[in-house]
Amino acid sequence: MKVLLLTVAGTSTRFGKSLGRECLKCIYNEKGFDESLLGNMVRKDASFDKIVIVGGYKFQELKDAVENHFSDLKDKIVLINNEHYFDYGSGYSLYEGLKYLVGTDFDEIVFAEGDLWVDDESFFKVSSSDKDVITFNRDTIDAKKSVVLYFDTQNKVHYLYDTAHSYLEIDRPFLSIYNSGQIWKFSDSDRVRKSFDGIDEKTWRGTNLVFIQKYFGERDKDEYEMAQFNTWLNCNTVDDFRKIAEVKK
């Protein structure tokens, strides 16, 4: 079973501030639902057998949107409510999604954070790969918004992110550094289960990078693919969202 796992539980404070009102970012649109981040991502690849969406903030709005706009996918979509969307970090949404999935017969998972827009061609290369995949993009690394991935002198991957959106500091020598594409593919179901079981519940309350690090951290670089997105937007503000129309021209 091929699974798409999306986490869209956050309060989107920066997006709401830029818009001038509270808003569930993943369903925001100006010309129709299909242009929303959720509408675009869910329909990227029709080959997914299951689509797991973890919400939280404005959950009823999310539920209504799913029912109204994805009625043709009702047998595929599983909607999960992360009731700790406000007091726990992004890791808990990933925890809720994986907790459901480890009890199923999944074979592979594509995990994407819910505030992203990426080009179809690049996404399909990730979703159709038969290997694990780490993604990156061409954007400048900015401590205010970037998730950094870098390789140490043993070519092992590490992730770095500042939840305060202030500054980043790498405390060891490194060979290369990238701006993470914040989408990953997990093709080894046994490793997913082992990594999931190896993290205590309290640790899940932090960033989702704890699981990513555990899954990929000890692996050799030739055990997975590195995939670059041709076009990648992280929609922190409404101006970021409006860039989508520009890049699609």
Side-chain angles (χ1 to χ4, degrees):
M1 180 171 66
K2 182 177 179 177
V3 180
L4 174 64
L5 172 56
L6 301 174
T7 52
V8 297
T11 57
S12 308
T13 304
R14 286 177 290 173
F15 194 91
K17 183 177 181 181
S18 71
L19 189 62
R21 60 178 174 84
E22 292 185 352
C23 176
L24 180 57
K25 176 168 59 175
C26 70
I27 65 172
Y28 177 78
N29 65 87
E30 297 178 346
K31 297 181 180 179
F33 187 81
D34 287 346
E35 73 161 358
S36 69
L37 297 174
L38 185 65
N40 178 266
M41 189 64 75
V42 165
R43 298 194 183 277
K44 282 278 189 201
D45 184 350
S47 69
F48 287 109
D49 302 297
K50 189 73 67 178
I51 301 168
V52 177
I53 304 171
V54 183
Y57 176 63
K58 294 186 178 293
F59 186 75
Q60 187 59 52
E61 288 188 21
L62 175 64
K63 184 178 179 181
D64 291 343
V66 169
E67 291 176 352
N68 292 335
H69 297 284
F70 300 127
S71 58
D72 58 318
L73 299 174
K74 62 181 180 181
D75 294 332
K76 286 188 176 185
I77 292 181
V78 175
L79 192 57
I80 297 173
N81 186 11
N82 172 12
E83 296 181 349
H84 289 286
Y85 70 88
F86 186 77
D87 53 333
Y88 293 170
S90 62
Y92 209 76
S93 288
L94 179 56
Y95 167 77
E96 291 282 14
L98 290 177
K99 183 174 68 171
Y100 166 79
L101 286 170
V102 295
T104 71
D105 60 348
F106 77 92
D107 297 300
E108 56 186 57
I109 300 170
V110 174
F111 166 51
E113 298 186 351
D115 50 4
L116 304 175
W117 188 93
V118 300
D119 66 285
D120 293 349
E121 180 183 3
S122 299
F123 183 84
F124 186 73
K125 287 181 180 179
V126 174
S127 65
S128 62
S129 175
D130 59 0
K131 298 181 69 174
D132 291 316
V133 182
I134 287 176
T135 67
F136 63 99
N137 63 77
R138 302 174 181 177
D139 283 18
T140 300
I141 294 173
D142 186 332
K144 293 182 179 180
K145 58 183 179 180
S146 297
V147 173
V148 171
L149 69 96
Y150 67 93
F151 291 88
D152 65 21
T153 55
Q154 303 303 311
N155 246 331
K156 302 297 184 183
V157 68
H158 299 268
Y159 282 89
L160 185 64
Y161 178 68
D162 180 23
T163 56
H165 311 296
S166 179
Y167 64 89
L168 298 169
E169 183 175 355
I170 297 177
D171 59 358
R172 72 189 79 194
F174 62 90
L175 298 176
S176 55
I177 185 169
Y178 301 83
N179 195 339
S180 172
Q182 299 174 44
I183 295 176
W184 298 267
K185 182 165 188 178
F186 313 126
S187 294
D188 186 335
S189 59
D190 289 337
R191 182 177 288 272
V192 169
R193 290 186 169 90
K194 184 177 179 181
S195 299
F196 178 83
D197 291 338
I199 302 173
D200 63 86
E201 193 270 346
K202 187 175 182 180
T203 302
W204 281 106
R205 300 176 188 180
T207 173
N208 57 30
L209 295 176
V210 173
F211 176 82
I212 304 300
Q213 185 68 51
K214 193 167 188 65
Y215 186 89
F216 286 104
E218 295 303 316
R219 308 191 75 176
D220 292 330
K221 206 170 181 180
D222 60 0
E223 294 184 79
Y224 53 83
E225 291 183 1
M226 293 283 292
Q228 177 178 283
F229 287 118
N230 295 324
T231 308
W232 180 93
L233 291 171
N234 187 352
C235 297
N236 292 307
T237 68
V238 70
D239 285 341
D240 293 334
F241 177 84
R242 288 169 180 161
K243 291 176 184 177
I244 296 173
E246 298 176 17
V247 301
K248 290 173 68 176
K249 290 179 180 178

